[in-house]
Amino acid sequence: MLSSLSFRLSRGVLSTISPPIPHAKSWAAKYKPTKTRPLLDMSQGVPGSPPPKVLLEALSHTSSSPATSGYCHVLGESTLRSAFAEEMKTVYGRDMDVTQDDIAITSGCNMAFVATVMCLADPGDEIILPVPWYFNHQMSLNLLGIKTIPLCTRADEGFLPSTSDCEKLINPRTKAIALVTPNNPTGAIYSPALISMFAELAQKHNIALILDETYRDFVDTMPPHTLFSPSQTGILKSFWSWRSNVIHLFSFSKSYCFPGHRLGLIAASPDLLKHVTTTLDCLQICAPRPPQLALASPGMLPTLRQSIQTSARSLKIRHDIFRTHLPPGWTIGSQGGYFAFVKHPFVGIPAITLCERLAEELGVLTLPMQFFCDDSVGSDLESHGQSKTDWERWIRFSVANVSDEMVKQVCGRLHECEQHLGLKVE
C-alpha cells in the first residue's frame, strides 16, 4: 500500500518490528466466540485480578486531590522511593544495601529500560540479550540504533544463559548484558549463583549488568539473588559493591496489579541516576503522581505484601494445573513467573503458523517463539547444537491473566488440535 506521507521515516522505526501483541490480537479478532466456547487469552503478561481494595481506595483519593496534578521530582516522589527501599528488604533481606538515593521511579519498566540504555550506549554500540528475548527490549535497542547481540540459550538446559557463551560475545563495543529473571518469555528462573556469575562477568569487562526483575515476587524462594547484600558470600569479591555495575529494573504493574497506572523503577548508583535524570526529564518529566502517592501511603506497602504473596501462591497452583492438564506430546521447557514455554508436538509446523490457527479456529490466543527472536538467530542455533525446526516450535503461555478453570479449558482445546486442525503428532 502506498504511503500518504511526503516525508521519510527514520531507519530505526522502519527496521523495528511492529508490536507483537496487537498482531496476535488480530488473529483472535477472527475467532467467533460463543457462550460455551469463549476466547481464551493466554497471550499477554498481565495480572488476572484487580488491585486490592485498599490500593483502589488510596488511588481514588490521590487521583482526586488537586495537589497531585502538578509535576514532582523527575526521579519520583521521595516518600515512595524511601518506602520502597524499605519494602525491598522483605525481598532481599534486612541487610540489603539499597537506599532511596539509589532509586528512580519511571513510567513503567519499559521506560526504565529505555532511559537506562540511553545512558549506556551510543548508536552502533552493542548490548547482549539472551534469546529468546523480551521483544520490547530488542525493539527499543533497534529504535536507538544500538545493536542487539543474541546470546543463545538451550531448551535442554531450561533456557538458562551461559556466562562462558556470553563472554565470547563481549568486545570493545559491548556496553551491557541485559537479563530478565524470572524470564520473559520462557519463565526460566535464574539462580542466585547464576546471577552472581553474570555480575562478576560484567565487572570483569567493565560493562553494566541490567537485571530486569519485573516478575521477582513470583518465585518460590527468597531472596532472588544476593547482589544487594554487603555480606553476601558468593563468588564476588568482598570489596565489590553492586553499585559499580548492576542496574536493577522493576515493574509495579505485576506485583500491584495496576499496569494501566504505569510505574516502574530503576535501582542504580546515584552516579548513574544523575544521568538517568537527564533522559527521564526528556522522556517523561515525571512518572504519574497519584499511583506513587497511593503506594507511599503509611503502611500501604507492608499491607500489599500480603496480597502479593497470595497472588504468588495462586499463580503457582495455576502453573501446576497447566502442567497436569497439558496434552501428551506438548513439552514444557521452562516455567515460572507469569509464563510457561512449551514445545508443540507437530513436526514441520512453525509455532507462528500454529498460534494463528489456534486463535482463529480454536479460540486460544498465545504467542509463538518467532515473536521473541529474529532470523539472525538461525545460524547461531546450529553452532549450539540446536535444530532450527525444533526451535521454531516453542510457544509462550501466560498463566497469570486466566482462571484455573480457563487453564483447564485451554488444555482441553489443545487436545483438539490433532483432530480439528488436521495435524499429525510427532
Side-chain angles (χ1 to χ4, degrees):
M1 187 175 71
L2 294 175
S3 173
S4 63
L5 303 177
S6 63
F7 47 82
R8 186 182 67 81
L9 296 173
S10 75
R11 286 185 292 273
V13 76
L14 289 174
S15 63
T16 299
I17 63 169
S18 298
I21 295 295
H23 186 173
K25 298 285 188 184
S26 70
W27 300 336
K30 298 176 183 176
Y31 178 69
K32 306 300 182 186
T34 66
K35 287 186 178 180
T36 56
R37 286 181 71 91
L39 177 71
L40 302 173
D41 187 349
M42 296 184 75
S43 66
Q44 195 166 11
V46 295
S49 58
K53 184 178 179 181
V54 64
L55 179 54
L56 287 174
E57 290 173 346
L59 283 165
S60 177
H61 173 72
T62 56
S63 297
S64 63
S65 171
T68 67
S69 297
Y71 296 128
C72 69
H73 191 280
V74 65
L75 294 183
E77 296 285 351
S78 61
T79 50
L80 178 59
R81 293 163 65 200
S82 176
F84 203 77
E86 183 65 25
E87 165 67 7
M88 288 175 71
K89 293 180 180 179
T90 66
V91 177
Y92 299 102
R94 300 306 302 176
D95 66 342
M96 181 215 65
D97 177 29
V98 177
T99 73
Q100 75 170 74
D101 293 333
D102 302 312
I103 290 176
I105 306 297
T106 62
S107 297
C109 195
N110 277 355
M111 178 71 78
F113 182 79
V114 170
T116 295
V117 298
M118 287 178 70
C119 292
L120 298 179
D122 295 307
D125 286 337
E126 300 177 356
I127 291 181
I128 297 170
L129 300 185
V131 180
W133 53 49
Y134 172 45
F135 46 72
N136 279 141
H137 283 176
Q138 189 274 339
M139 291 166 68
S140 296
L141 296 180
N142 198 75
L143 283 167
L144 294 168
I146 301 167
K147 186 176 181 181
T148 300
I149 303 300
L151 169 59
C152 281
T153 61
R154 295 177 57 94
D156 59 4
E157 295 175 352
F159 296 102
L160 296 173
S162 160
T163 51
S164 59
D165 288 344
C166 184
E167 187 161 25
K168 297 172 186 175
L169 302 175
I170 296 173
N171 64 62
R173 281 284 192 184
T174 308
K175 300 300 180 182
I177 305 163
L179 306 180
V180 182
T181 178
N183 189 256
N184 180 5
T186 68
I189 298 171
Y190 302 174
S191 69
L194 181 61
I195 294 170
S196 289
M197 289 170 66
F198 271 99
E200 183 183 60
L201 178 63
Q203 179 75 2
K204 175 182 176 182
H205 291 277
N206 296 314
I207 59 177
L209 174 64
I210 302 171
L211 195 60
D212 183 334
E213 295 187 78
T214 290
Y215 303 95
R216 64 118 194 267
D217 286 316
F218 307 103
V219 298
D220 288 339
T221 57
M222 292 290 178
H225 59 77
T226 58
L227 298 185
F228 293 140
S229 173
S231 61
Q232 67 98 13
T233 56
I235 60 175
L236 294 164
K237 298 179 174 58
S238 59
F239 58 80
W240 178 85
S241 167
W242 70 269
R243 293 179 182 86
S244 66
N245 69 310
V246 173
I247 303 168
H248 161 83
L249 308 183
F250 178 72
S251 170
F252 291 83
S253 298
K254 320 302 180 184
S255 299
Y256 300 99
C257 301
F258 65 170
H261 288 283
R262 309 311 302 136
L263 284 187
L265 176 146
I266 302 170
S269 167
D271 289 336
L272 176 64
L273 292 187
K274 67 182 180 183
H275 300 292
V276 168
T277 299
T278 301
T279 59
L280 290 179
D281 191 54
C282 296
L283 294 171
Q284 67 178 28
I285 298 183
C286 67
R289 295 190 70 194
Q292 290 189 65
L293 293 170
L295 287 173
S297 302
M300 178 63 71
L301 291 175
T303 298
L304 294 177
R305 175 55 50 182
Q306 299 172 26
S307 68
I308 291 172
Q309 292 169 341
T310 299
S311 295
R313 288 192 293 269
S314 297
L315 195 59
K316 186 177 187 301
I317 291 171
R318 204 165 301 136
H319 272 298
D320 291 341
I321 292 171
F322 181 75
R323 186 168 53 249
T324 300
H325 288 81
L326 199 64
W330 292 74
T331 305
I332 294 178
S334 51
Q335 191 174 16
Y338 270 25
F339 307 112
F341 214 52
V342 182
K343 187 171 78 170
H344 74 71
F346 309 112
V347 178
I349 307 295
I352 192 167
T353 301
L354 180 60
C355 286
E356 184 173 5
R357 294 195 65 187
L358 283 174
E360 294 180 1
E361 300 178 45
L362 294 181
V364 174
L365 187 58
T366 60
L367 299 187
M369 166 69 92
Q370 288 79 1
F371 286 179
F372 304 100
C373 62
D374 60 27
D375 293 339
S376 68
V377 175
S379 59
D380 292 331
L381 291 173
E382 300 295 338
S383 65
H384 286 78
Q386 301 187 79
S387 162
K388 188 172 186 290
T389 302
D390 281 350
W391 179 265
E392 291 180 339
R393 287 163 59 187
W394 292 92
I395 298 173
R396 188 190 81 173
F397 291 80
S398 174
V399 305
N401 59 326
V402 288
S403 67
D404 294 356
E405 180 57 33
M406 290 172 72
V407 169
K408 295 177 185 177
Q409 291 179 36
V410 166
C411 293
R413 294 191 199 180
L414 296 182
H415 274 281
E416 302 173 15
C417 283
E418 186 175 3
Q419 179 178 2
H420 183 90
L421 301 182
L423 302 175
K424 296 300 181 182
V425 177
E426 183 177 30

